[in-house]
Amino acid sequence: MTYREAVEFGTKCLTDAGVPDAALDAWYLLQMVCKIERSYYYVHGEEDITQDAQKEYEIAVQKRAEHIPLQYIIGEQEFMGLRFKVNFNVLIPRQDTETLVEQVLKIVKPGMKVLDLCTGSGCVLISVLKNAPELTGMGSDISKTALLVAKENAKLHEVDAEWVRSDLFDNITETFDVIMANPPYIPTGEILSLMPEVRDFEPENALDGGADGLDFYRKIAGQVKDYLNPGGYVYMEIGYDQGEAVSELMRNAGFTEVEVIKDLARNDRVVKGKGN
């Protein structure tokens, strides 16, 4: 099997399985297995791959045909221009969430302390600290296995942060200038309708936001002021249709300068609030 035939084989298998972007995924899997770049492929496309590589590639294609997310097979995902390790214990970082990081970077100043709730892979906190290194950062998550991934990513990017296992604020004892969160926000009844890559493989406890998707926002809004320094900010990622509801929760909790910020697709993506 040549490199070109391998991509054609992978594309057909993934197309038959109803996998989106079949040709692109087939290429990425070949790139992972053979450790080659596009330039090499274009020049050497008619050369044979090794038998071992062919077997490994066929196994990888079969996994993707079962709708296992490409990122879990490859083991990484790009976010804010950085490569983050991912596995089945953490949500796959998404471009939408870059809006959260970008907004926080607009207001942080040297010496500030930042907290990232529901940190998962650590991509939000690590991206903030990598771009604003004179901060002190803490990431928390209820999942012990997720924190292991976050710690590995922090080491990979040479970022110094504290990692705490906590159900929201349960084990948090400090106060912060900025608190960020990308909590579970999908309504329970909508999870079964998600694409299989998400529904069947990403951790449900990082997706399920309760009956209306707002359970975690209610908890955060009700407690966050106790952990926020005077004049501190809260930034939370939200679902595309949750801007009004989460803004109301923040205003009712006494926050000022409450604002809904849209992502590049012009969907509501982040709610910001300022403490007293």
Side-chain angles (χ1 to χ4, degrees):
M1 180 183 285
T2 65
Y3 290 107
R4 179 184 56 78
E5 289 170 341
V7 172
E8 290 176 352
F9 163 80
T11 300
K12 184 179 186 307
C13 288
L14 299 183
T15 300
D16 291 346
V19 172
D21 301 316
L24 192 58
D25 284 11
W27 156 251
Y28 281 133
L29 293 173
L30 185 71
Q31 182 183 49
M32 173 194 72
V33 169
C34 296
K35 298 177 175 58
I36 60 172
E37 297 300 327
R38 284 278 191 183
S39 56
Y40 184 93
Y41 171 77
Y42 290 138
V43 175
H44 301 275
E46 300 305 320
E47 295 181 7
D48 289 335
I49 65 176
T50 67
Q51 262 194 331
D52 287 346
Q54 180 176 333
K55 289 178 182 177
E56 186 179 349
Y57 181 67
E58 289 172 350
I59 291 170
V61 168
Q62 181 56 41
K63 289 180 179 179
R64 186 67 188 101
E66 294 169 1
H67 291 268
I68 297 175
L70 176 72
Q71 294 88 341
Y72 288 155
I73 300 171
I74 294 175
E76 62 179 29
Q77 169 66 10
E78 182 175 330
F79 180 83
M80 291 294 295
L82 303 171
R83 306 298 295 183
F84 286 89
K85 295 185 178 183
V86 294
N87 59 32
F88 292 104
N89 298 302
V90 298
L91 285 183
I92 297 166
R94 289 167 167 79
Q95 185 179 12
D96 292 343
T97 305
E98 293 185 358
T99 305
L100 175 62
V101 175
E102 291 163 354
Q103 293 301 314
V104 170
L105 288 173
K106 289 180 179 180
I107 59 95
V108 290
K109 297 176 182 178
M112 281 186 167
K113 291 172 59 178
V114 299
L115 170 65
D116 181 30
L117 296 172
C118 310
T119 196
S121 67
C123 65
V124 169
L125 179 61
I126 291 167
S127 296
V128 169
L129 296 180
K130 194 71 176 176
N131 285 279
E134 297 182 26
L135 305 176
T136 300
M138 176 186 290
S140 74
D141 202 286
I142 194 173
S143 168
K144 181 180 180 180
T145 51
L147 288 174
L148 293 175
V149 178
K151 290 176 183 178
E152 192 173 358
N153 280 320
K155 183 178 180 180
L156 175 67
H157 293 296
E158 300 179 330
V159 164
D160 186 23
E162 184 178 356
W163 305 97
V164 177
R165 189 179 183 187
S166 180
D167 184 359
L168 295 182
F169 296 103
D170 283 358
N171 295 323
I172 306 299
T173 58
E174 303 175 40
T175 58
F176 301 85
D177 301 294
V178 180
I179 296 179
M180 311 172 290
N182 181 12
Y185 57 70
I186 299 175
T188 304
E190 294 181 13
I191 289 178
L192 288 177
S193 66
L194 298 175
M195 59 191 300
E197 281 84 349
V198 178
R199 179 192 66 223
D200 297 337
F201 297 101
E202 297 202 57
E204 187 174 347
N205 65 352
L207 297 169
D208 192 343
D212 61 359
L214 301 176
D215 281 4
F216 286 86
Y217 299 108
R218 292 189 185 94
K219 293 175 182 178
I220 293 171
Q223 302 175 55
V224 68
K225 277 198 167 183
D226 293 337
Y227 303 89
L228 198 64
N229 290 331
Y233 288 91
V234 176
Y235 287 82
M236 297 188 290
E237 178 168 327
I238 59 171
Y240 72 95
D241 59 351
Q242 295 174 327
E244 184 177 343
V246 176
S247 295
E248 184 178 359
L249 288 172
M250 294 294 285
R251 291 190 187 95
N252 289 343
F255 283 86
T256 60
E257 299 182 22
V258 176
E259 180 184 358
V260 179
I261 299 156
K262 296 184 181 294
D263 59 23
L264 291 175
R266 306 306 300 163
N267 293 317
D268 291 353
R269 186 56 57 193
V270 172
V271 167
K272 160 195 167 186
K274 184 178 181 181
N276 299 325

